Amino acid sequence: MQYNHQEIEKKWQNFWAKNQTFKALNKSNKPKYYVLDMFPYPSGAGLHVGHPLGYIASDIYARYKRHKGFNVLHPQGYDSFGLPAEQYAIQTGQHPAKTTEENIKTYRKQLDKIGFSFDWSREVRTSNPAYYKWTQSIFIQLFNSWYNKDTDKAEDISTLVSIFEKEGNTNINAVCDEDIVSFSFKDWADFSSTKKQEILLQYRLTFLSDTEVNWCPALGTVLANDEIVNGVSERGGHPVIRKKMIQWSMRISAYAQRLLDGLQTIDWPQPLKDSQTNWIGRSQGAMVSFQVDEPTTNNQEPKIIEVFTTRPDTIYGVSFMTLAPEHELVSKITTEAQKAEVEAYVEATAKRSERDRMADVKTISGAFTGAYAIHPFSGEKVQIWIGDYVLAGYGTGAVMAVPCGDQRDYDFAKHFNIPIPNIFEGVDISEAAHADKEGTVIVNSDFLSGLKYKKALKLAIYELEKRGLGYGKINYRLRDAVFSRQRYWGEPFPVYYKDGMPQMIDAKHLPIVLPEVEKYLPTEDGKPPLGNAEVWAWNTATDTVVSNDLIDNQTVFPLELNTMPGWAGSSWYFNRYMDADNTNQFASKEALDYWQNVDLYIGGSEHATGHLLYARFWQKFLFDKNMVPGDEFAKKLINQGMILGTSAFVYKTSVFVKNGCAIDKSNEDVIEHIPTLFVSKNLFNSDDEFEKVVKNYLLDKKLLDPNFADLVMITKTPIHADVSLVNASDELDIEAFKNHPLNADYKNTTFILEDGVYKVGREVEKMSKSKYNVVNPDAICEEYGADSLRLFEMFLGPLEQAKPWKTSGISGVHSFLKKLWKLYFKEEEFAVSNDEPTKEELKTLHKTIKKVEEDIENFSFNTSVSTFMIAVNELSALKCNKRTILEPLAVLVSPYAPHIAEELWSQLGHKESIATVTFPKFEEKYLVESTKVYPISFNGKMRFTLELSLELSKDDIEKTVMEHEKTQAQLQGRIPKKVIIVPGKIVNIVG
């Protein structure tokens, strides 16, 4: 019986699906274990071999836990809303729902081929109205909540209204907008309904505000920071600018401290925790008020610039202020003389992303507004500048610049020739700022002079508060999250507008389903794509979506035109898996109480400050509302590394006239006549060699006039070639390359060969469709089998590390599986005996059990594969075919290679699936050595070995050795002078 992986894998995949082998129960006497992968976005490209890495690891662990007696929940679904599907819809005119459905079918087919133990009965799709009904419901809950600092949790907005009605807002300790105006309970009673709604928006956990956003004109939408790479959109590479728009936002800042504290309670990678800690950015210092120096009248309030600083002790070192170019005061305080320069600078800055501005520490740029601020203590005038290193969304969008104590301020001051007063005793600041705060004495600072950092800090805050110039404050870098997207393919907001104010649709009328539109682009007047819908208004009389033509009716109001961002549905999906078919709740209390949270979550570290932060925020909010049992959703997180692709490159020639050279006019078109060539990689080792090879070729073929050879310069341009066109010896299929649809321009190109073939260059890069280096797992499964793919991906290296893919290596793993198969068969017949195992066979089995269990518990899956190979080699050498050994071996292999394990288990006579068979128990006694192979030496030279019991005494060892025939042969009748014995080590006969 041959090992036919195709037949075996199809058989068992059908068996698992038909019998719902991996369906989890919400009630069980077994302990629970919840294993989760970050669910995929179903793109049209499908999976490549890099995608399943984390899924294979989580699947091994889920299967292992089933063997260990756990009720395992291991679900899967699709993060199916998003920009890629919408862009494809714009290009092709197909509805995103249609293309998403097609992509999901492809993904499902590919995932099934790899043999994952997913509970597909709980599948979720974020674009399914039955799912996003609950996303909309959570949004309504957020809208109807505020954050009470006294209780340190979210509370219903009705409790806030009750306080307003009794005592106004003067004693409210809430997370809210900065510009809150105080009012009494009488004022509240006199406010109009619209005014009350405006005030409540300043407290709600989701709210409308005029917000600085990343606007991508080409895509017609706002982008999150993590959707921008190198200043352009990640999707399509389009320019992104900063602009202000009315947007929905989430008040994630309310949870900043709890998000920090929660990191201490979860087992997540420290680099990821550090990333979130830095992103939240807790700092302690003071808010300081600087008044703009300008004439004031009785009717004009003075303009104040609020600054947060962690070093109020250095306030006498302030020599200028810097505002973010987007700061609201810039246009109000800029003088006529500086107006043109400032406006040009603001416009230029709007084209740079925040991440670019933060990362660029070398470029020094700015513009003087012409205005001055009054130093709060000294009363001196300080210049007010704008600079793109200050961001409107961080802190107050303004900094008090202390160039003697901050290097960036120092460089700015040096560049623009701004004074740099020194306030540090005995410190030379002629070359650089002095950033060390400990141990340095403050000077030239009035009442702070003579004090060190800690005392000066406290006194500065005390004086600020005493004089009404500022106050001590804990600040967070974390900003409220923009929640609007000007897209079609996303969750509709359950919001309509009455008198310009947002109103929530009652949850009982959810879901509010996406309307049909003819165009997925923004409308001609710039409204989001939903503005193209003809039926998109809310009738409060019938509680239904109706035609826009009825909006003038007194009961019909416009619906929100924006949609929610991609992270909305992914911020709570792990809870839905617990009770995916519930139509009355997002999950029942019983299911939530049983599963509690995710025990193991596997996914990429790139989501550290996106999905993983937002999901923690939503979980804490749901916990505050008594909707989930815990405020952290995942106990343990592992970031899998990346599988890298080995790209292939061909080397194209480009010809230029050297600088300063002139070609005779009669031959001025000489370059145009030189053909494009591709040069085989091993023909050159440097750019000079490349040019030499090409010139020699052109001269030899009389394609270049020798008179012009020294006047032209030839360079190489590496071009990605599809790796499927290259064999294991790095030889390119030239005809296939020329006929490839993407290489139409090179159909008649000449290739300079080496030994009759074209060799490509190789480079390890991120596996990506754009680099033509992806390997389709379907092809691997077809040729080698899913079990080979699973084992090989684990064998490549530690789970957390990046590692390159090389298809040629998979044959070794496939050979191992065939060797494993042969242990159970003899001459193609199943041949497993019931004979008693030998000590050596038991030893091999139990050291394998011990190592594999340790490896799985430590997520060291690559070393397990090595252990399997060693075990199979040893058992093959022992010609082992004992049931006592081979049954537990099949169970050990099952999490890694489930198809072959199921087939072997079936051949062993079992009717049930191997999936829930108890994991083999390690027994130490089989690894305890009972004998020792002694080297028997004569005068220090080993002559033979002898296996003896470790229980023998020294006298027994000497007697046994001396009586042995080989000893007698060595001695030839002589009597040794002495016999040296070290029990368990050596025997040396001297004489």
Side-chain angles (χ1 to χ4, degrees), residues 191-403:
F191 289 151
S192 66
S193 173
T194 300
K195 178 66 175 177
K196 288 179 179 179
Q197 290 180 67
E198 289 174 349
I199 291 171
L200 289 174
L201 273 176
Q202 296 181 301
Y203 291 87
R204 295 182 187 275
L205 287 182
T206 186
F207 58 97
L208 282 171
S209 65
D210 199 13
T211 308
E212 281 281 341
V213 295
N214 302 308
W215 174 251
C216 181
L219 297 177
T221 189
V222 168
L223 298 177
N225 283 334
D226 56 353
E227 294 174 310
I228 302 168
V229 178
N230 298 324
V232 297
S233 64
E234 184 179 35
R235 176 63 52 178
H238 302 295
V240 178
I241 63 172
R242 297 286 294 172
K243 66 181 290 188
K244 280 197 171 183
M245 295 176 68
I246 297 292
Q247 298 285 295
W248 282 102
S249 292
M250 290 277 177
R251 215 178 290 276
I252 187 175
S253 58
Y255 287 85
Q257 189 59 50
R258 284 172 63 185
L259 287 167
L260 278 176
D261 295 341
L263 291 173
Q264 308 306 313
T265 68
I266 50 181
D267 182 10
W268 288 19
Q270 192 57 47
L272 191 145
K273 287 186 177 184
D274 292 342
S275 182
Q276 288 202 357
T277 298
N278 294 335
W279 191 259
I280 295 166
R282 185 184 192 275
S283 53
Q284 196 158 357
M287 291 293 294
V288 184
S289 299
F290 286 78
Q291 183 175 325
V292 178
D293 181 36
E294 61 179 353
T296 59
T297 66
N298 293 333
N299 298 323
Q300 181 183 353
E301 289 288 329
K303 295 182 178 68
I304 301 295
I305 300 174
E306 298 285 353
V307 172
F308 174 79
T309 175
T310 59
R311 296 293 306 274
D313 56 304
T314 64
I315 195 164
Y316 279 94
V318 174
S319 62
F320 64 100
M321 301 194 72
T322 313
L323 307 184
E326 308 89 350
H327 196 288
E328 62 180 4
L329 283 182
V330 172
S331 60
K332 299 175 182 176
I333 64 174
T334 300
T335 62
E336 278 299 317
Q338 295 298 116
K339 187 176 181 180
E341 181 184 350
V342 167
E343 287 180 349
Y345 187 80
V346 170
E347 183 179 350
T349 303
K351 297 175 183 177
R352 302 187 71 201
S353 73
E354 286 192 356
R355 287 194 173 183
D356 282 347
R357 288 162 61 181
M358 290 167 65
D360 185 4
V361 296
K362 294 181 180 179
T363 304
I364 301 171
S365 66
F368 179 44
T369 64
Y372 293 82
I374 305 299
H375 192 286
F377 285 136
S378 70
E380 295 178 1
K381 293 182 180 181
V382 293
Q383 299 174 12
I384 303 176
W385 287 71
I386 59 172
D388 65 0
Y389 73 95
V390 182
L391 303 175
Y394 290 98
T396 63
V399 298
M400 59 175 223
V402 182

Side-chain angles (χ1 to χ4, degrees), residues 902-971:
E902 286 277 21
E903 183 62 24
L904 293 173
W905 191 250
S906 176
Q907 292 288 337
L908 286 162
H910 301 287
K911 300 297 183 186
E912 80 279 13
S913 166
I914 199 173
T916 55
V917 174
T918 302
F919 199 79
K921 186 178 179 182
F922 167 66
E923 294 188 54
E924 181 74 38
K925 64 182 179 182
Y926 293 115
L927 299 191
V928 175
E929 300 287 350
S930 59
T931 61
K932 165 69 180 176
V933 177
Y934 283 88
I936 310 301
S937 300
F938 292 83
N939 296 321
K941 293 184 178 181
M942 203 236 348
R943 297 300 181 183
F944 64 93
T945 60
L946 194 59
E947 185 174 2
L948 300 173
S949 170
L950 286 171
E951 295 180 358
L952 292 177
S953 66
K954 286 179 69 172
D955 291 341
D956 290 336
I957 293 171
E958 181 175 346
K959 182 174 184 296
T960 303
V961 171
M962 293 304 294
E963 290 176 352
H964 198 276
E965 59 183 12
K966 290 186 178 180
T967 303
Q968 295 301 318
Q970 286 289 331
L971 290 175

